[in-house]
Amino acid sequence: MTRISDAVKHDHALIQRAFHQLREADPDARKPDEFVWALDRYLIVEDLVVSPALDNHIAKGKERHRRLSEDVDSINEKLRHMQAYKPAEASFDTSLSAIWVDLEPHMREETVTSGDLGLLEASLSREASESLGRRYEDIRELLQRPYGEDGVPDQRTLTAILEMPREELMVKLGVSGE
């Protein structure tokens, strides 16, 4: 079974790969959808699973949740800003780099032993971590499943998901708050 930290690290690797592929692609041939969707899906699932777990299972969890929410808000804001530009525009590159400035330290800090995931794992039994990991993967799969071969929704669907209030999204996914 997958522990919660392994599930999150798996998403980190997907996001990093999509980022580097986007960054290295010919600007005229870039397709940012895979990166945008991998990052958005991660941010949504982290908000629905990891943040509540921090609140409930670690010391100063509410403070860490608040900091995590600030990271998510900043990354989301920069991601929306990037989407305002065509992939071949210089402003797209600048916006993509700005996302990475927030995202890379967030992922690195989250996975160190003293980071959110390390503290969360230390506070959970193996079974509880695996249960949380299963929940994380189940929600990620629910967000992934209906969208074609590469798992990227069309622009209309993506916009609807991203603009949906958290509570409404939780109801549609059949997820209750922890």
Side-chain angles (χ1 to χ4, degrees):
M1 284 289 160
T2 302
R3 296 176 69 119
I4 184 61
S5 58
D6 295 330
V8 173
K9 288 175 187 177
H10 172 78
D11 272 359
H12 288 175
L14 290 174
I15 293 164
Q16 287 175 337
R17 186 173 56 248
F19 170 81
H20 290 296
Q21 287 173 344
L22 181 59
R23 182 97 186 174
E24 295 164 9
D26 175 5
D28 292 322
R30 282 185 182 154
K31 295 183 180 175
D33 292 348
E34 183 180 350
F35 171 70
V36 170
W37 185 232
L39 181 53
D40 273 328
R41 188 179 56 240
Y42 162 74
L43 294 174
I44 290 167
V45 179
E46 187 166 76
D47 186 42
L48 294 175
V49 178
V50 177
S51 292
L54 293 174
D55 277 353
N56 295 327
H57 297 290
I58 67 169
K60 297 186 180 181
K62 294 207 184 299
E63 181 180 316
R64 287 185 172 272
H65 180 171
R66 182 193 50 74
R67 186 189 39 75
L68 183 62
S69 293
E70 289 171 358
D71 285 354
V72 166
D73 290 346
S74 176
I75 293 166
N76 258 322
E77 184 178 317
K78 290 177 180 184
L79 191 58
R80 300 303 149 246
H81 180 76
M82 181 192 79
Q83 288 179 293
Y85 301 103
K86 293 186 181 344
E89 293 181 72
S91 294
F92 182 91
D93 281 327
T94 303
S95 299
L96 184 61
S97 294
I99 292 168
W100 198 248
V101 165
D102 282 1
L103 184 59
E104 194 272 334
H106 164 85
M107 292 189 302
R108 185 179 59 245
E109 190 271 316
E110 196 170 55
T111 56
V112 296
T113 305
S114 62
D116 292 341
L117 293 175
L119 293 172
L120 185 57
E121 287 287 2
S123 73
L124 298 172
S125 67
R126 180 168 191 85
E127 294 78 22
S129 177
E130 289 174 352
S131 176
L132 209 51
R134 209 171 20 259
R135 183 170 186 222
Y136 184 99
E137 289 178 336
D138 287 348
I139 294 172
R140 180 179 59 211
E141 182 64 24
L142 282 170
L143 289 169
Q144 179 84 7
R145 182 166 281 146
Y147 309 114
E149 285 182 33
D150 62 359
V152 178
D154 61 43
Q155 190 61 42
R156 192 176 124 240
T157 304
L158 180 59
T159 300
I161 290 170
L162 300 178
E163 291 178 355
M164 191 177 297
R166 180 178 189 263
E167 292 76 22
E168 186 179 337
L169 180 61
M170 289 174 69
V171 168
K172 289 190 182 290
L173 292 174
V175 176
S176 62
E178 196 171 326

